Amino acid sequence: MSNQAHRLPADARHGLGGSVLDRSQPLRFRLNGRQIEGFSGDTVLSAALANGIQSAGRHADTPLALDETFAPLVATHGGEPLPMDRTPAIDGAEFTTIGIRRDPIASSGVLGALRHLLVGPNRTLNHRYGDVPPSPEPWRTARPEEEILAEFAIIGGGVAGLAAAGAASAASRSAVLIERTPTLGGAIHFFGAVENEDSPDVTLERLMRGLDGKTPVTRLLAAEAFAIDYGTVKVHQVVAEGGRIRSRVLAVTARTVILAPGSLERLPVFAGNRAPGVVAALAAHHRARRYGVWVGKRTIVNTPHSNAYRLALQAADVGISVQRIVDTRINPHSRFVDFAKASGITLASGLVASRADPIRRNEPGLRVGFAVAIEDIARDSQTFETDTLIAAGSWQPDLTLWLSAGGSVGWDAQNNWLAPRGSRENLVLVGSAAGWHSTTAAIGSAEAAVAAALGKAPAPFEDIRIDATFETPDAPTPVAPRRVTGPAYLDRGISLVTRRSAAPDLTHHPVALSLGDIAAAVQIGAMAPRDAGPVAAERCGISGDIAGGTWTLPAEAAATEIPPVPTYLTGRFGPKPLLCVVTAFDPRHFEPGCLVFERSEVLDPLKAIGVVYAPAPGGAPGGLAVLGTLPASPDGSLFVRDSSGAVASKITEKLKVK
């Protein structure tokens, strides 16, 4: 009997049967001693989810969902650590997760098999989180084994990335397209078409044909671009060769780097928002479409936008019981709302999820409560039991690589997200990462970027939006009233910032923050909007999470006056901080947000003695830093950690704090 209880049928409607699977080639492997069944095309993560493993472990006593943004690394015996979501499932392999575990006995080999035979199906990987910071991913410091030269390096294989690659190919220019997932096309099927746009299938067929133009595009799939340095993109890829798995790091050097990573879905803020069974809308769509995975047979959808209605309708069409769609907007109108009503799905509006609790420890099933989306109304609706809560959020442009490569961001109050600021030479944002909303604008911005890089006049394009008369605009990411107790996380991922821990000061958090953390902190009032950009520059690419390019001060931005220390740094480095100009032993300029350390090997941001907060006066090399103490070394040397690592530096001028 198959263990794949959470696999949809191969012929599921709307393409939700798993486009990358070859079901004629079943396979089996072991994960922490447990036998996992899957198919050719599965990853270790997708097969684990299909077999009912829902939890990565616990943070204190809070269970945390296993998902694409939060999963431990895995390794075969004697092998290197690899990411679960990009490691292909291999028949007969033995995988073990890496990290601190709660298991009282071994979980691999004979003892692991005996354990699972005795205790039955285990739905958790049983890791313990929060005791120590996660270890850096080893490939981030590895030397590239191969260099690829091209005119364009394009990061992201959604419609914007495909359009940029096609435009380069049509112009007879070499291009490398780098996509983190195993498929191209991004989220176009989730968002669909608006107004007079072609259908997603027609659009993708046209864009895919463009990859084989005058100069065919080199494609790197299941490959993560993790650093940009002086026009070189470092890429990590997991490949299966001859029944074995290995990791490789490539360097793609290009004259122009086009960033098209798309947008991130924000995490709604409510107690239990990372419990096993709580899934983001876009993640649920990708799981089903790529791998045919849908956890459970019952689903409740809570959403601030109309796109999740399409997902709910498709889920109902493949046999999932959609118990209700709960919209945070009051009396929303949309053609999808009408479709849902016509299909008989129960609808509610003006409510946010207030809590989600596992019905029983380490077993599937959630008890979900809802609250009126107004802080001062102390009334909750009834609770419901379900298998999966689709907790949809609003969108945040994925600016992680942009930030770590020297780009700036600031808070955009109109869209409730961090938006890019300024420009970078030979580095261009396109598509939704640049803030565009429609497929038409994503394609137009990408083609315009290629044209501009080739010295041609970009063609005009329009960002098509449905009028509010016909489609209620998206609401902000849902936030439950504060009266509900229990851990409510600000984002998915490794930072584990909760609503309560964000209140004192996010700049003291021991782990790098995400863009979602900062956007949520602004939304709940834990951070001033004016501080969001500087904090993102300091905290969203540190401790080796993502390396980027060396930032250079544009000539027009040079200033002669000494800017005041930002308010978000008040008290960060003691009551009497020192203001200094720090200069490297080469003519580089330090980006604001670079941390200052006494020793080169220190990575912990809490052990920094200072931070660069502004360019050096008059456009000189180095940067303006606030320090809590002078370095103890006899020669006064210190180290500024920028995108290239720890840079030996010295204090060249001491100033007075205003």
PDB file of all heavy atoms in Angstrom, residues 351-364:
ATOM      1  N   LEU A 351     -13.084  38.897   8.173  1.00  0.00           N
ATOM      2  CA  LEU A 351     -12.515  38.112   9.265  1.00  0.00           C
ATOM      3  C   LEU A 351     -11.066  37.748   8.957  1.00  0.00           C
ATOM      4  O   LEU A 351     -10.697  37.552   7.792  1.00  0.00           O
ATOM      5  CB  LEU A 351     -13.311  36.826   9.488  1.00  0.00           C
ATOM      6  CG  LEU A 351     -14.787  36.955   9.874  1.00  0.00           C
ATOM      7  CD1 LEU A 351     -15.438  35.577   9.876  1.00  0.00           C
ATOM      8  CD2 LEU A 351     -14.923  37.615  11.238  1.00  0.00           C
ATOM      9  N   VAL A 352     -10.264  37.653  10.004  1.00  0.00           N
ATOM     10  CA  VAL A 352      -8.890  37.177   9.872  1.00  0.00           C
ATOM     11  C   VAL A 352      -8.720  35.946  10.750  1.00  0.00           C
ATOM     12  O   VAL A 352      -9.387  35.800  11.776  1.00  0.00           O
ATOM     13  CB  VAL A 352      -7.854  38.249  10.285  1.00  0.00           C
ATOM     14  CG1 VAL A 352      -7.912  39.442   9.361  1.00  0.00           C
ATOM     15  CG2 VAL A 352      -8.054  38.673  11.740  1.00  0.00           C
ATOM     16  N   ALA A 353      -7.824  35.050  10.345  1.00  0.00           N
ATOM     17  CA  ALA A 353      -7.493  33.912  11.201  1.00  0.00           C
ATOM     18  C   ALA A 353      -6.888  34.453  12.491  1.00  0.00           C
ATOM     19  O   ALA A 353      -5.988  35.300  12.460  1.00  0.00           O
ATOM     20  CB  ALA A 353      -6.516  32.983  10.499  1.00  0.00           C
ATOM     21  N   SER A 354      -7.385  33.988  13.634  1.00  0.00           N
ATOM     22  CA  SER A 354      -6.873  34.457  14.924  1.00  0.00           C
ATOM     23  C   SER A 354      -5.952  33.447  15.578  1.00  0.00           C
ATOM     24  O   SER A 354      -5.077  33.821  16.363  1.00  0.00           O
ATOM     25  CB  SER A 354      -8.032  34.771  15.873  1.00  0.00           C
ATOM     26  OG  SER A 354      -8.844  33.621  16.073  1.00  0.00           O
ATOM     27  N   ARG A 355      -6.130  32.157  15.271  1.00  0.00           N
ATOM     28  CA  ARG A 355      -5.227  31.138  15.789  1.00  0.00           C
ATOM     29  C   ARG A 355      -5.429  29.847  15.013  1.00  0.00           C
ATOM     30  O   ARG A 355      -6.494  29.605  14.443  1.00  0.00           O
ATOM     31  CB  ARG A 355      -5.443  30.905  17.277  1.00  0.00           C
ATOM     32  CG  ARG A 355      -6.749  30.268  17.679  1.00  0.00           C
ATOM     33  CD  ARG A 355      -6.802  30.020  19.195  1.00  0.00           C
ATOM     34  NE  ARG A 355      -5.585  29.434  19.703  1.00  0.00           N
ATOM     35  CZ  ARG A 355      -4.724  30.078  20.523  1.00  0.00           C
ATOM     36  NH1 ARG A 355      -4.968  31.303  20.917  1.00  0.00           N
ATOM     37  NH2 ARG A 355      -3.625  29.474  20.945  1.00  0.00           N
ATOM     38  N   ALA A 356      -4.375  29.031  15.011  1.00  0.00           N
ATOM     39  CA  ALA A 356      -4.431  27.692  14.418  1.00  0.00           C
ATOM     40  C   ALA A 356      -3.678  26.758  15.350  1.00  0.00           C
ATOM     41  O   ALA A 356      -2.486  26.964  15.604  1.00  0.00           O
ATOM     42  CB  ALA A 356      -3.819  27.686  13.024  1.00  0.00           C
ATOM     43  N   ASP A 357      -4.372  25.766  15.865  1.00  0.00           N
ATOM     44  CA  ASP A 357      -3.781  24.825  16.823  1.00  0.00           C
ATOM     45  C   ASP A 357      -3.891  23.406  16.287  1.00  0.00           C
ATOM     46  O   ASP A 357      -4.949  23.003  15.801  1.00  0.00           O
ATOM     47  CB  ASP A 357      -4.506  24.895  18.173  1.00  0.00           C
ATOM     48  CG  ASP A 357      -4.462  26.285  18.781  1.00  0.00           C
ATOM     49  OD1 ASP A 357      -3.348  26.820  18.900  1.00  0.00           O
ATOM     50  OD2 ASP A 357      -5.530  26.824  19.116  1.00  0.00           O
ATOM     51  N   PRO A 358      -2.797  22.626  16.384  1.00  0.00           N
ATOM     52  CA  PRO A 358      -2.917  21.207  16.035  1.00  0.00           C
ATOM     53  C   PRO A 358      -3.963  20.537  16.912  1.00  0.00           C
ATOM     54  O   PRO A 358      -4.024  20.784  18.123  1.00  0.00           O
ATOM     55  CB  PRO A 358      -1.515  20.655  16.318  1.00  0.00           C
ATOM     56  CG  PRO A 358      -0.605  21.852  16.233  1.00  0.00           C
ATOM     57  CD  PRO A 358      -1.424  22.998  16.762  1.00  0.00           C
ATOM     58  N   ILE A 359      -4.788  19.701  16.319  1.00  0.00           N
ATOM     59  CA  ILE A 359      -5.822  19.006  17.087  1.00  0.00           C
ATOM     60  C   ILE A 359      -5.186  18.017  18.055  1.00  0.00           C
ATOM     61  O   ILE A 359      -5.562  17.927  19.224  1.00  0.00           O
ATOM     62  CB  ILE A 359      -6.798  18.290  16.138  1.00  0.00           C
ATOM     63  CG1 ILE A 359      -7.520  19.324  15.255  1.00  0.00           C
ATOM     64  CG2 ILE A 359      -7.813  17.458  16.920  1.00  0.00           C
ATOM     65  CD1 ILE A 359      -8.405  18.709  14.201  1.00  0.00           C
ATOM     66  N   ARG A 360      -4.159  17.287  17.569  1.00  0.00           N
ATOM     67  CA  ARG A 360      -3.401  16.370  18.411  1.00  0.00           C
ATOM     68  C   ARG A 360      -1.933  16.482  18.048  1.00  0.00           C
ATOM     69  O   ARG A 360      -1.587  16.721  16.891  1.00  0.00           O
ATOM     70  CB  ARG A 360      -3.892  14.926  18.225  1.00  0.00           C
ATOM     71  CG  ARG A 360      -5.229  14.633  18.897  1.00  0.00           C
ATOM     72  CD  ARG A 360      -5.731  13.241  18.578  1.00  0.00           C
ATOM     73  NE  ARG A 360      -6.119  13.152  17.173  1.00  0.00           N
ATOM     74  CZ  ARG A 360      -7.317  13.523  16.715  1.00  0.00           C
ATOM     75  NH1 ARG A 360      -8.225  14.014  17.544  1.00  0.00           N
ATOM     76  NH2 ARG A 360      -7.610  13.412  15.440  1.00  0.00           N
ATOM     77  N   ARG A 361      -1.083  16.312  19.023  1.00  0.00           N
ATOM     78  CA  ARG A 361       0.356  16.470  18.836  1.00  0.00           C
ATOM     79  C   ARG A 361       0.881  15.507  17.771  1.00  0.00           C
ATOM     80  O   ARG A 361       0.597  14.309  17.786  1.00  0.00           O
ATOM     81  CB  ARG A 361       1.079  16.219  20.163  1.00  0.00           C
ATOM     82  CG  ARG A 361       2.587  16.531  20.140  1.00  0.00           C
ATOM     83  CD  ARG A 361       3.191  16.192  21.498  1.00  0.00           C
ATOM     84  NE  ARG A 361       4.621  16.445  21.547  1.00  0.00           N
ATOM     85  CZ  ARG A 361       5.170  17.557  22.020  1.00  0.00           C
ATOM     86  NH1 ARG A 361       4.393  18.512  22.500  1.00  0.00           N
ATOM     87  NH2 ARG A 361       6.474  17.718  22.039  1.00  0.00           N
ATOM     88  N   ASN A 362       1.640  16.068  16.833  1.00  0.00           N
ATOM     89  CA  ASN A 362       2.295  15.304  15.769  1.00  0.00           C
ATOM     90  C   ASN A 362       1.329  14.526  14.884  1.00  0.00           C
ATOM     91  O   ASN A 362       1.700  13.544  14.253  1.00  0.00           O
ATOM     92  CB  ASN A 362       3.349  14.344  16.338  1.00  0.00           C
ATOM     93  CG  ASN A 362       4.568  15.067  16.864  1.00  0.00           C
ATOM     94  OD1 ASN A 362       4.814  16.219  16.501  1.00  0.00           O
ATOM     95  ND2 ASN A 362       5.326  14.402  17.720  1.00  0.00           N
ATOM     96  N   GLU A 363       0.070  14.944  14.856  1.00  0.00           N
ATOM     97  CA  GLU A 363      -0.893  14.321  13.957  1.00  0.00           C
ATOM     98  C   GLU A 363      -1.517  15.390  13.072  1.00  0.00           C
ATOM     99  O   GLU A 363      -1.565  16.562  13.448  1.00  0.00           O
ATOM    100  CB  GLU A 363      -1.977  13.588  14.755  1.00  0.00           C
ATOM    101  CG  GLU A 363      -1.451  12.361  15.492  1.00  0.00           C
ATOM    102  CD  GLU A 363      -2.572  11.519  16.067  1.00  0.00           C
ATOM    103  OE1 GLU A 363      -3.726  11.682  15.611  1.00  0.00           O
ATOM    104  OE2 GLU A 363      -2.297  10.707  16.961  1.00  0.00           O
ATOM    105  N   PRO A 364      -1.993  15.011  11.886  1.00  0.00           N
ATOM    106  CA  PRO A 364      -2.564  16.010  10.987  1.00  0.00           C
ATOM    107  C   PRO A 364      -3.865  16.565  11.534  1.00  0.00           C
ATOM    108  O   PRO A 364      -4.547  15.937  12.346  1.00  0.00           O
ATOM    109  CB  PRO A 364      -2.794  15.236   9.685  1.00  0.00           C
ATOM    110  CG  PRO A 364      -2.907  13.806  10.111  1.00  0.00           C
ATOM    111  CD  PRO A 364      -2.000  13.660  11.295  1.00  0.00           C
TER     112      PRO A 364
END
